[in-house]
Amino acid sequence: MNYVNGRQATSLGETNDLGKPWRYKDGDLTVTRSCPWSPPGCHPVGCGLKLYVDKEGTLVKVEGDENQPITGGRLCVRCITLKDYVYNPSRIIHPQKRDPQFRGQADKWEQITWDEAFDLMVSEVTKVKEKYGPESIVLFTGTGREGGTMKPMGAAVFGTPNYCYTQSGYACYAPRLAGTSYVMGAPDPEIDYAAAFKNRYDEEGYVLSECVILWGKDPLPSNPDGLFGHALIDMMKRGTRLITVDPRLTWLATKADYALRLRPGTDTALAMAMLHVIISEDLYDHDFIEYWTYGFEELAERVATMPPEKAAEITGVPVEDIYGAARMYARAAPAGIAWGLAVDQNPNGSQLGHCILDLMAVTGNIDVPGGQIIGGAGEGQQETGFGWSAMPTETADKMIGLKEFPAYCNAILDAHADMVLETLETEKPYPLRFGYYAGNNLLAATCAAQPKRWHDAMLKSLDYCVTLDCFMTPSAQATCDLFLPLAASPEREGTVANHYGATPTFLGITNKAIDFGEGKSDTEFCYELGKRLNPKVWSKYEDVYAYIKALRFGNKKDFATARKEVGWQREIEYHKFETGKCRQDGKLGFNTPTGRFEFYSTLFQSFGDDPLPYYLEPPYSPQKTPELLEKYPLVLTTGARTYAFFHSENRQIPFCRELNPDPLVEINPALAHRLGIADGQWVRIWNQFGSCKMKAKLTIAVDERTLMAQHGWWFPEADPDKTNPEGEYNVWLANINELVPHFHVGKMGWGAPFKCLLANIEPLNENYDTDMQEIWEKFGKLVR
């Protein structure tokens, strides 16, 4: 039996309250209960689905699963429209190849078999290894499927050290994870939304958070990193109060006691000022600081250099709100902070992350009920060493960026994104000749700065490139030679772990409900290609899911058993630092060099950075570069999440597209009036790095100094050929990442200014409005 603080942990199978097994009959339909990850696009929330399949084996309906203890039957539009995704006419369900000389030509693809595809890959990989070495293979990844399967398993398949998340400064999630591991030796700290308890908020021993700060995070549309956003609504109904830190006025901000609408990129100044208030007014947890932390006096001295009055001048937040928010958070018992992508998309983000962790620590909210929940020693998906253990040291040491940015490369076993681009361009320190896309559409303003540079560099350097995906994307159309069909979630088996397994909340099972086409999951692909390319590593695995038992279930369950449970709430224990469960050696304290939570980070220091937080202006800002304001007078932030899409996915799903037909830039009505821009008018946005076109949305959600532009745009209905002046599928038309500079990262290699730039905007007479009738005609007829 598994127990949660003395109470039995629960599964979602035959023994739950509603009593539905993992598969059952509903009239003539077979219902399979499942917890998807992606596709369709989503973070690892593990929402409960009921997949209704008819006698012909066709998915006919999708509903929310009431048995799922966290989501409780609630679904986003992407899951509700899953049938439209699976049977979309533009979906590719068979392998295709194209001669590399015809890249960008949409009419040159021809269907082949999987055996032919694997033979091609083996041939091309072998040629590159023999001529250049395995380091000349690079794996490009995006948000990830099944927890970034390609990182460990790709290394075991291809034998390359160069796995690369292509976003400049790895400006998504990993900087926060790395900072947390440096400062307190634990994975991602999450707010305590009672995810591990059968009775949820009514569980004996659970304490509701009095206050939650949403820092650069809008969890309702994004469900970020596995946090089910509507858990905040559940908590608010029970009395939790909010503080939001966001330049935009979001729906949750309108419900907050304090909505701190700061100038984009100035978050660290605000966080330091809040720390100063808490320390100077003696609102901190004396016992926690005395017994479990290191460097408090040094921190107090440092943050005293950023009083609220100074921070108010920098951030634009009223000084009284800085004082009020700091006091409200410090006096709440308990309180939590949910931090978001804004921490990562800032070259000063490592210091911001350090400050936010310090706020959690000074108030004694780490690893306590209703505060921040953290994993214990060794928590998280444990596949990382899977491929590296068999890699020769001399090969591993050739990872691009390892010498220059050890904090980055060693923390996540990734080649440095900005340096990979330069290696593609210069062939130094060696050429890259074979590329593989794993859940990546980097050209479509998602996970790359300066995507045209990536486009040109890949065409110049890569002799062969492969993708595994559900739809032809502009990235694949422009640069790939082999397209492999990816199985959608109803067609595959797998696992989904909230927060990538880093925090003790929920582990779900993806149960296969249908067969459609020839798509394979990432895991199946790795297994089948791995047997061909690296049989010594893969021969010991008798089936594709053996790794799940060995690595994700801790040898406690096999997949056949786990699938029947559909998912289960994991065990949670608080105050682990007091019992030796935060450290692998079993000693009390935290898994850091000092054994304590480090306000003064010895690891930051060892990597050549300041061990204490400090504020830096964004590289281009009204204060840092006032000479640019005549040309670029506005602050540009990008990438706020939408309900309709997940990054660049779902734009060929008519119901999703109707919610957001065109690429939008938010502009304040007063500013728009001065510039002669009407609501719904197309505009040009530009700065010294690039330009794009979008449709103006007039809203008071942004102030008069700020623009907010959507990301991830491409147009599946547009001309896919390279002869299109706007690029394959109009990928350059609304590509906001063309305005984001290359290699403007922090000292340790983390972070990039995706959310804090300068730009200008002007009205256009052209009209690029989406014809929704065309979308319905092209993509609205389900394939049966």
Side-chain angles (χ1 to χ4, degrees):
M1 296 290 186
N2 291 331
Y3 286 83
V4 181
N5 282 1
R7 305 175 72 89
Q8 186 177 340
T10 59
S11 72
L12 310 184
E14 291 90 340
T15 59
N16 59 52
D17 292 338
L18 299 184
K20 294 293 187 183
W22 75 283
R23 179 168 287 163
Y24 61 94
K25 296 291 289 186
D26 184 354
D28 292 334
L29 301 177
T30 299
V31 183
T32 301
R33 294 175 47 230
S34 183
C35 297
W37 189 321
S38 181
C42 197
H43 278 114
V45 178
C47 300
L49 298 187
K50 294 187 295 188
L51 305 170
Y52 290 78
V53 179
D54 67 15
K55 292 180 179 180
E56 286 72 42
T58 302
L59 178 66
V60 297
K61 184 170 62 172
V62 177
E63 290 184 346
D65 185 0
E66 307 91 334
N67 294 276
Q68 216 278 20
I70 300 170
T71 60
R74 294 170 286 188
L75 292 180
C76 73
V77 66
R78 297 184 297 277
C79 281
I80 293 172
T81 59
L82 181 56
K83 182 179 68 170
D84 304 73
Y85 188 105
V86 169
Y87 299 118
N88 195 285
S90 66
R91 188 176 168 205
I92 297 176
I93 57 176
H94 305 288
Q96 297 184 358
K97 71 173 182 179
R98 178 177 64 184
D99 191 297
Q101 68 176 314
F102 297 126
R103 287 176 181 168
Q105 297 186 37
D107 61 351
K108 298 298 184 180
W109 292 101
E110 59 179 279
Q111 183 175 319
I112 59 174
T113 67
W114 268 105
D115 283 339
E116 290 176 290
F118 281 129
D119 288 344
L120 275 171
M121 291 195 71
V122 170
S123 174
E124 295 296 333
V125 169
T126 301
K127 283 193 296 186
V128 169
K129 284 186 174 181
E130 290 178 349
K131 186 172 182 179
Y132 302 102
E135 64 273 16
S136 288
I137 298 169
V138 58
L139 309 180
F140 304 115
T141 184
T143 300
R145 317 283 190 182
E146 294 187 36
T149 299
M150 287 307 301
K151 183 192 294 280
M153 303 187 78
V157 171
F158 294 99
T160 179
N162 288 319
Y163 175 93
C164 177
Y165 177 70
T166 51
Q167 190 166 29
S168 178
Y170 206 124
C172 180
Y173 194 58
R176 281 170 282 160
L177 290 186
T180 307
S181 66
Y182 301 157
V183 170
M184 66 176 174
D188 185 25
E190 186 54 88
I191 62 170
D192 190 354
Y193 55 106
F197 299 123
K198 177 182 178 180
N199 297 317
R200 296 299 306 282
Y201 307 102
D202 298 321
E203 185 80 14
E204 182 180 348
Y206 174 74
V207 181
L208 182 71
S209 305
E210 288 187 17
C211 169
V212 168
I213 299 179
L214 296 176
W215 203 301
K217 192 167 196 161
D218 189 12
L220 298 186
S222 64
N223 296 311
D225 310 320
L227 168 65
F228 180 56
H230 278 73
L232 265 295
I233 304 298
D234 298 337
M235 295 170 70
M236 290 164 64
K237 289 178 179 178
R238 289 165 171 79
T240 297
R241 298 161 63 191
L242 297 184
I243 298 169
T244 60
V245 182
D246 196 318
R248 298 172 71 236
L249 186 66
T250 64
W251 184 87
L252 284 171
T254 68
K255 311 299 179 185
D257 286 47
Y258 290 95
L260 307 180
R261 300 180 64 185
L262 74 175
R263 174 165 60 88
T266 62
D267 305 60
T268 307
L270 175 63
M272 290 178 69
M274 291 177 68
L275 281 165
H276 175 63
V277 172
I278 292 169
I279 294 172
S280 64
E281 296 186 1
D282 197 19
L283 300 175
Y284 57 89
D285 187 319
H286 287 253
D287 286 343
F288 185 80
I289 286 172
E290 180 178 356
Y291 295 112
W292 304 108
T293 69
Y294 175 79
F296 177 69
E297 292 182 0
E298 291 88 344
L299 174 70
E301 183 178 349
R302 175 60 59 85
V303 298
T305 65
M306 186 63 72
E309 291 74 14
K310 180 178 178 181
E313 292 180 2
I314 293 171
T315 64
V317 175
V319 65
E320 62 272 16
D321 286 353
I322 299 176
Y323 278 104
R327 291 164 180 161
M328 175 178 164
Y329 171 70
R331 289 168 177 163
I337 302 178
W339 54 356
L341 195 64
V343 177
D344 309 322
Q345 298 198 333
N346 181 345
N348 194 212
S350 292
Q351 290 65 45
L352 170 58
H354 195 176
C355 282
I356 292 174
L357 292 167
D358 291 348
L359 283 166
M360 300 172 186
V362 297
T363 53
N365 278 305
I366 292 176
D367 205 16
V368 300
Q372 309 290 154
I373 55 173
I374 60 174
E379 286 277 6
Q381 294 176 350
Q382 303 301 310
E383 297 101 317
T384 302
F386 179 83
W388 289 85
S389 59
M391 189 182 299
T393 301
E394 59 270 22
T395 301
D397 288 345
K398 293 180 180 179
M399 179 192 291
I400 295 170
L402 180 62
K403 294 179 181 178
E404 296 84 353
F405 296 106
Y408 177 122
C409 296
N410 281 316
I412 51 174
L413 296 180
D414 264 43
H416 194 278
D418 299 84
M419 295 192 68
V420 167
L421 173 55
E422 295 189 356
T423 297
L424 286 166
E425 292 176 326
T426 66
E427 301 193 354
K428 296 178 181 179
Y430 47 78
L432 295 170
R433 292 290 184 249
F434 182 96
Y436 174 83
Y437 287 119
N440 188 310
N441 186 14
L442 66 93
L443 299 187
T446 53
C447 48
Q450 295 293 294
K452 283 184 180 178
R453 281 184 63 177
W454 281 93
H455 170 275
D456 295 346
M458 287 189 286
L459 290 181
K460 169 188 173 184
S461 185
L462 298 178
D463 294 336
Y464 206 79
C465 194
V466 181
T467 190
L468 178 67
D469 214 324
C470 289
F471 296 92
M472 185 64 71
T473 66
S475 303
Q477 186 66 265
T479 66
C480 287
D481 314 303
L482 184 63
F483 188 105
L484 305 176
L486 177 69
S489 57
E491 305 155 5
R492 66 197 298 173
E493 294 175 330
T495 64
V496 51
N498 284 173
H499 316 289
Y500 309 91
T503 50
T505 49
F506 178 78
L507 179 65
I509 298 296
T510 303
N511 279 319
K512 183 176 179 178
I514 61 170
D515 288 299
F516 181 69
E518 295 185 286
K520 295 183 184 294
S521 72
D522 309 75
T523 312
E524 291 173 309
F525 168 78
C526 288
Y527 175 66
E528 295 195 27
L529 184 59
K531 287 191 299 182
R532 292 167 166 85
L533 284 175
N534 202 352
K536 289 183 180 180
V537 173
W538 290 92
S539 60
K540 61 183 178 180
Y541 291 97
E542 67 276 12
D543 65 70
V544 71
Y545 295 106
Y547 92 101
I548 295 174
K549 175 183 176 181
L551 298 169
R552 293 192 180 175
F553 298 156
N555 288 315
K556 295 178 181 178
K557 300 175 185 287
D558 58 30
F559 193 80
T561 301
R563 73 181 310 160
K564 296 179 181 179
E565 300 182 42
V566 187
W568 55 92
Q569 291 159 292
R570 298 170 58 196
E571 298 178 23
I572 186 171
E573 183 176 349
Y574 300 110
H575 303 287
K576 292 181 292 297
F577 56 89
E578 296 178 350
T579 60
K581 294 183 179 179
C582 281
R583 295 172 55 119
Q584 293 183 339
D585 60 10
K587 295 182 179 179
L588 304 186
F590 293 90
N591 192 32
T592 63
T594 62
R596 293 168 173 256
F597 179 98
E598 295 190 354
F599 296 121
Y600 184 103
S601 174
T602 56
L603 286 175
F604 273 53
Q605 189 174 43
S606 73
F607 292 132
D609 210 339
D610 193 321
L612 294 165
Y614 57 90
Y615 173 68
L616 287 179
E617 270 288 317
Y620 305 98
S621 75
Q623 279 68 29
K624 180 72 176 293
T625 53
E627 69 278 7
L628 296 178
L629 292 180
E630 184 175 350
K631 289 184 177 179
Y632 315 115
L634 301 171
V635 176
L636 171 67
T637 184
T638 72
R641 301 301 184 247
T642 72
Y643 289 96
F645 310 124
F646 183 72
H647 298 305
S648 70
E649 296 193 71
N650 314 102
R651 282 172 176 79
Q652 62 280 91
I653 311 302
F655 287 109
C656 295
R657 191 69 176 275
E658 277 197 340
L659 295 174
N660 198 151
D662 298 302
L664 300 176
V665 56
E666 295 180 354
I667 180 171
N668 186 275
L671 174 62
H673 178 73
R674 291 199 300 271
L675 297 177
I677 296 172
D679 188 43
Q681 184 175 11
W682 282 82
V683 296
R684 183 173 78 100
I685 313 162
W686 79 98
N687 65 13
Q688 67 269 47
F689 303 108
S691 67
C692 70
K693 299 169 185 176
M694 288 187 162
K695 193 172 184 177
K697 178 182 178 181
L698 274 58
T699 173
I700 61 170
V702 294
D703 63 26
E704 294 183 47
R705 61 189 175 180
T706 306
L707 303 173
M708 197 298 294
Q710 292 181 345
H711 77 302
W713 270 93
W714 61 292
F715 301 82
E717 69 277 13
D719 181 1
D721 202 83
K722 69 177 182 180
T723 56
N724 182 345
E726 296 289 357
E728 292 85 347
Y729 298 107
N730 282 3
V731 68
W732 308 129
L733 176 66
N735 202 309
I736 196 64
N737 282 9
E738 277 297 293
L739 283 72
V740 181
H742 168 69
F743 226 153
H744 284 58
V745 302
K747 187 174 289 188
M748 291 186 288
W750 302 112
F754 285 83
K755 291 187 178 295
C756 44
L757 295 162
L758 293 179
N760 208 337
I761 188 170
E762 66 181 1
L764 296 175
N765 292 323
E766 300 101 302
N767 189 325
Y768 303 93
D769 282 5
T770 293
D771 182 347
M772 281 307 305
Q773 183 176 350
E774 178 187 9
I775 299 296
W776 278 104
E777 289 175 354
K778 282 193 173 184
F779 307 122
K781 297 177 181 179
L782 301 184
V783 176
R784 296 293 181 180

